[in-house]
Amino acid sequence: MTLRFPELPALPLERYTRLLSAERLQPLMARVEYLRAGLVGRVVWNVSSTAAGGGVAEMVRSILSYARGAGVDARWVVIEAPPEFFRITKRLHNALHGSVGDGSDLGDAERRLFEHVGATNVAELAPLVRAGDVVIVHDPQPAGMIAALLERGARVIWRCHIGADEVDDEVQRGWRFLAPYVQGAHAYVFSRAAYIPAQYIDPARAKLIAPTIDPFSAKNQPLDERSVLAILARARLVESDVDAAVGTFLREDGTPSRVDNSADVVREGAPPPASTPLVVQVSRWDELKDPAGVLEGFTRLDPARIRGAHLVLAGPNTTGVADDPEGAAVLAAVTARWRGLPVDVRRRIHLASLPTFEIEENAAIVNALQRHATVIVQKSLHEGFGLTVTEAMWKARPVVASAVGGIQDQLDDGVEGLLLDDASDLDAFAAAIARLFDDPDAARQMGIRGHARVLDHSLALNSLLSYGALIEWIDGRDTLGA
Ligand code: UDP
């Protein structure tokens, strides 16, 4: 077993002068500086289970990079575990969302492996951790390390990115498994109040921090229209005669780069031409993201009403996400459904596995695809937060999304997009997409409002301040009443 320590740049917070007025930014910067002073000589460790492919990896990378830029010794540790461990933790992840997943046991044998993996990973990390260091443990997978970290004298925060709005038997089963490992943490962070399992942990130590995006990353940075088309053409997602050489994006270190790898796409015929409107969902291949429902709902739309739009379901290459073992099976199931469609319908639906050789290249492709989309959908059946919705809003795209989990906190129905009360109602899903095509002006206004809302609330700088305030609270210095 070997832990991995993904490299992190130190990103300057001064970048935010491009987005925020001096009056708004200055007090924030002063506050960051104050928080930094309280962390001198201490490391802020973040422990998670994958360095790529999912909202957690996305956020950890951006927040820690700005923390480092602000002068905090923030480090990222990714645990190592065998596939059987990730099968169990995926089962647990599904349970905490109220879903039975593969229906397997969460019993003593599973506990033994969970604890064994926690113990072997923490045996490597603990010698590096000193009393007073802060360790933020993300999600259930590394939770088995918490007790040993507390013994080292670390201040431990357990950051839970998932949860269910309603507690059913499955959710209870998940918490019964997990609670003993997380209970001792100094604080817990959830994305929404409904996710706090007050029966299992001390709610007084639970705080809420909403996820955020890095507006300057390869995933979210501005791209002009020609770059968008060139990147999508190179990735074989759209056909365009824009010279591929103009398709550059900026890497974290500021160097321009191009996309070299293409997506693996299940399709009939050629990629859609640049002029074809796209309905897009970007998600891991996960049943809870309901790619099959998106496909089925899309087939119910009259092509003429949506101006001949195509659907692109995009997700990471299924070999690229270490902690999600179900991806290949979910993609295979969606592909089988796609094969069963009439050929003229198949021609308008593309199942794209995006290359994951290189995180920033993958991010640039997602960025271009989201920017090129006419409508972005997120038809999740359950959702911890749903960072793709924030990403779509930042790109001023109108969104059709299920009113589940954290999606409900991100947009209001009819304001930044359309929310679906019943995530499984395919006719309502199709009708919502059609409505946005019927009224492009209203759709455009929704996109503009979405961008403004993200600018006000959902930038990585907001997270940095929230975590800083939380650490202050744990340290007993609570100047803001966090
Ligand atoms: N994502 C990505 N490449 C892909 C598919 C998804 O980078 O091929 C990203 C997506 O842009 C978002 C994250 O993975 O940043 C998904 O986060 P979300 O909160 O929507 O769902 P999660 O995967 O965490 O359940």
Side-chain angles (χ1 to χ4, degrees):
M1 283 295 161
T2 336
L3 294 172
R4 283 187 301 133
F5 298 83
E7 258 184 56
L8 292 166
L11 299 178
L13 280 170
E14 286 70 22
R15 279 179 170 189
Y16 281 87
T17 50
R18 282 184 247 158
L19 291 177
L20 306 178
S21 67
E23 297 81 73
R24 188 168 158 207
L25 194 55
Q26 255 156 19
L28 301 181
M29 299 280 275
R31 174 93 182 121
V32 170
E33 172 51 25
Y34 170 81
L35 294 167
R36 183 202 61 77
L39 287 165
V40 171
R42 303 162 73 187
V43 174
V44 180
W45 303 91
N46 279 251
V47 187
S48 73
S49 60
T50 177
V56 178
E58 185 77 18
M59 274 183 290
V60 169
R61 175 173 294 282
S62 69
I63 298 167
L64 296 196
S65 301
Y66 286 108
R68 291 179 71 83
V72 174
D73 190 354
R75 302 187 201 174
W76 189 3
V77 182
V78 174
I79 62 166
E80 178 70 31
E84 177 58 12
F85 172 84
F86 288 127
R87 192 196 59 72
I88 295 167
T89 55
K90 182 74 196 219
R91 168 72 180 97
L92 182 57
H93 171 102
N94 284 325
L96 293 172
H97 275 131
S99 164
V100 292
D102 67 6
S104 56
D105 237 10
L106 283 174
D108 290 343
E110 288 72 23
R111 245 183 222 295
R112 275 195 297 277
L113 183 57
F114 187 83
E115 290 175 8
H116 173 72
V117 168
T120 44
N121 279 281
V122 82
E124 259 186 71
L125 181 60
L128 307 177
V129 175
R130 296 201 201 151
D133 281 0
V134 177
V135 189
I136 306 178
V137 176
H138 293 266
D139 272 348
Q141 298 91 333
M145 300 166 73
I146 290 177
L149 294 166
L150 289 167
E151 271 170 34
R152 293 289 298 175
R155 310 260 154 94
V156 180
I157 297 169
W158 183 56
R159 199 322 175 193
C160 182
H161 295 268
I162 55 182
D165 291 329
E166 271 151 42
V167 178
D168 61 10
D169 286 353
E170 217 38 57
V171 175
Q172 297 274 14
R173 191 193 315 280
W175 281 117
R176 278 198 302 274
F177 186 93
L178 189 61
Y181 307 108
V182 303
Q183 265 156 350
H186 292 90
Y188 318 101
V189 178
F190 293 89
S191 298
R192 48 189 342 236
Y195 295 171
I196 301 172
Q199 194 185 334
Y200 295 97
I201 60 158
D202 174 8
R205 279 187 279 154
K207 306 286 173 188
L208 299 181
I209 298 180
T212 53
I213 59 163
D214 176 1
F216 308 107
S217 67
K219 175 75 57 71
N220 297 307
Q221 66 190 222
L223 291 174
D224 62 36
E225 181 60 23
R226 279 161 57 79
S227 296
V228 165
L229 290 179
I231 289 172
L232 293 178
R234 191 70 197 89
R236 299 281 299 143
L237 291 169
V238 161
E239 227 161 42
S240 140
D241 49 16
V242 172
D243 178 0
V246 303
T248 54
F249 63 95
L250 289 181
R251 291 184 175 278
E252 274 166 343
D253 65 6
T255 56
S257 190
R258 63 181 191 199
V259 166
D260 285 323
N261 293 290
S262 48
D264 270 337
V265 189
V266 175
R267 66 157 60 96
E268 186 77 48
S275 56
T276 301
L278 296 186
V279 175
V280 170
Q281 175 163 298
V282 177
S283 283
R284 285 178 302 103
W285 301 103
D286 182 324
E287 272 178 20
L288 298 183
K289 312 285 183 184
D290 200 20
V294 175
L295 178 132
E296 174 65 30
F298 184 79
T299 62
R300 298 191 184 181
L301 282 156
D302 170 6
R305 187 158 169 205
I306 55 170
R307 304 200 300 278
H310 286 206
L311 171 68
V312 178
L313 282 170
N317 193 302
T318 53
T319 54
V321 188
D323 67 348
D324 186 359
E326 290 174 1
V330 172
L331 176 58
V334 184
T335 304
R337 282 196 183 218
W338 176 86
R339 284 195 207 293
L341 297 170
V343 66
D344 59 314
V345 182
R346 280 207 306 269
R347 269 187 220 291
R348 296 192 295 112
I349 300 180
H350 311 258
L351 311 180
S353 292
L354 308 184
T356 49
F357 306 110
E358 226 261 302
I359 296 169
E360 288 193 282
E361 177 185 66
N362 176 280
I365 297 171
V366 171
N367 189 352
L369 189 56
Q370 290 170 328
R371 288 186 189 278
H372 189 61
T374 300
V375 173
I376 290 184
V377 301
Q378 191 58 55
K379 207 193 107 25
S380 305
L381 302 173
H382 295 275
E383 190 59 76
F385 183 71
L387 206 56
T388 50
V389 171
T390 307
E391 290 165 0
M393 289 162 64
W394 178 243
K395 285 143 199 157
R397 302 292 93 194
V399 179
V400 171
S402 317
V404 294
I407 291 175
Q408 303 161 86
D409 303 330
Q410 298 184 61
L411 73 153
D412 288 311
D413 185 38
V415 181
E416 297 91 358
L418 299 175
L419 281 178
L420 306 164
D421 285 338
D422 177 354
S424 58
D425 184 340
L426 297 180
D427 287 327
F429 171 65
I433 295 172
R435 260 179 73 193
L436 293 181
F437 276 92
D438 287 348
D439 192 346
D441 196 46
R444 204 171 57 81
Q445 294 300 330
M446 287 177 183
I448 291 170
R449 287 192 290 263
H451 177 82
R453 183 155 167 179
V454 175
L455 183 64
D456 280 346
H457 300 290
S458 304
L459 303 181
L461 178 58
N462 301 83
S463 284
L464 195 61
L465 290 163
S466 305
Y467 281 104
L470 177 61
I471 293 170
E472 212 188 8
W473 178 78
I474 297 176
D475 285 348
R477 288 182 294 120
D478 198 15
T479 47
L480 284 189

